[in-house]
């Protein structure tokens, strides 16, 4: 009886509760910065693995360029603006790396030759390593610069 009574009471409150929840927490789409969006990856290429692998290679090259920029940025001028730029660059690189990995997973579901599979594995490995380098470098550079600032 208790459950039936609760059900009857809350059926009438469903609309007001839904209205309240949508007012308190409106749905907002995630804004992805331009640098974090893949430029060369397209689902249309997945049916032709050679083209898809080539587009992945171009994105991995972007990851390498971005990782190098992240490492060089604070060393040119160690100030708060450069540290902030380094953090946002690292977040963009994380998103780009995630897009490459997701694309690689979708490509894995296609029929690949052994050579294409090896190429895909090499690209994913390179992207992982470049991503790890940028993460390690940004963490270490931030730590070093904070210590440097404390010492004056």
């Amino acid at each position: 009886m208790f459950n039936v009574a609760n059900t009857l009471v809350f059926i009438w409150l469903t609309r007001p509760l839904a209205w309240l929840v949508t007012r308190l927490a409106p749905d907002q789409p995630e804004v992805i910065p331009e640098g974090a969006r893949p430029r060369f990856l397209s689902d249309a290429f997945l049916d032709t693995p050679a083209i898809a692998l080539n587009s992945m290679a171009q994105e991995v090259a972007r990851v390498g360029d971005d990782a190098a920029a992240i490492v060089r940025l604070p060393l040119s001028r160690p100030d708060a603006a450069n540290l902030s730029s380094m953090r946002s660059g690292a977040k963009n690189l994380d998103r780009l790396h995630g897009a490459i990995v997701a694309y690689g997973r979708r490509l894995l579901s296609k029929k690949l030759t052994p050579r294409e599979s090896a190429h895909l594995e090499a690209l994913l490995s390179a992207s992982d390593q470049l991503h790890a380098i940028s993460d390690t470098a940004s963490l270490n550079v931030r730590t070093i610069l904070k210590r440097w600032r404390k010492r004056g």
Side-chain angles (χ1 to χ4, degrees):
M1 294 298 284
F2 176 77
N3 290 337
V4 172
N6 278 332
T7 302
L8 292 175
V9 168
F10 281 106
I11 278 180
W12 304 111
L13 295 177
T14 303
R15 269 189 210 273
L17 283 175
W19 178 85
L20 179 66
V21 168
T22 56
R23 293 291 177 202
L24 294 176
D27 191 23
Q28 296 181 359
E30 180 185 7
V31 177
I32 299 174
E34 185 62 35
R37 290 188 189 131
R39 291 182 197 153
F40 306 106
L41 302 181
S42 171
D43 289 343
F45 299 152
L46 289 173
D47 292 330
T48 311
I51 296 173
L53 290 168
N54 186 41
S55 64
M56 275 185 69
Q58 291 174 312
E59 291 295 344
V60 170
R62 280 187 60 209
V63 169
D65 292 342
D66 291 351
I70 288 170
V71 172
R72 279 193 299 260
L73 185 66
L75 299 177
S76 62
R77 263 189 20 240
D79 58 7
N82 276 352
L83 282 177
S84 176
S85 295
M86 184 177 70
R87 277 192 209 105
S88 65
K91 285 180 185 175
N92 289 348
L93 194 133
D94 288 344
R95 288 187 183 113
L96 184 58
H97 171 70
I100 291 170
V101 170
Y103 192 78
R105 284 189 189 130
R106 289 197 307 272
L107 186 57
L108 271 175
S109 68
K110 304 296 179 181
K111 184 141 177 119
L112 301 176
T113 66
R115 185 174 182 211
E116 290 169 340
S117 294
H119 191 194
L120 176 61
E121 183 180 340
L123 288 171
L124 291 173
S125 176
S127 182
D128 284 342
Q129 291 172 9
L130 289 167
H131 180 250
I133 288 169
S134 81
D135 280 350
T136 303
S138 69
L139 178 66
N140 289 339
V141 166
R142 273 187 269 151
T143 304
I144 291 168
L145 290 178
K146 284 178 185 176
R147 288 182 190 164
W148 179 70
R149 270 199 220 133
K150 283 182 183 178
R151 293 182 186 166

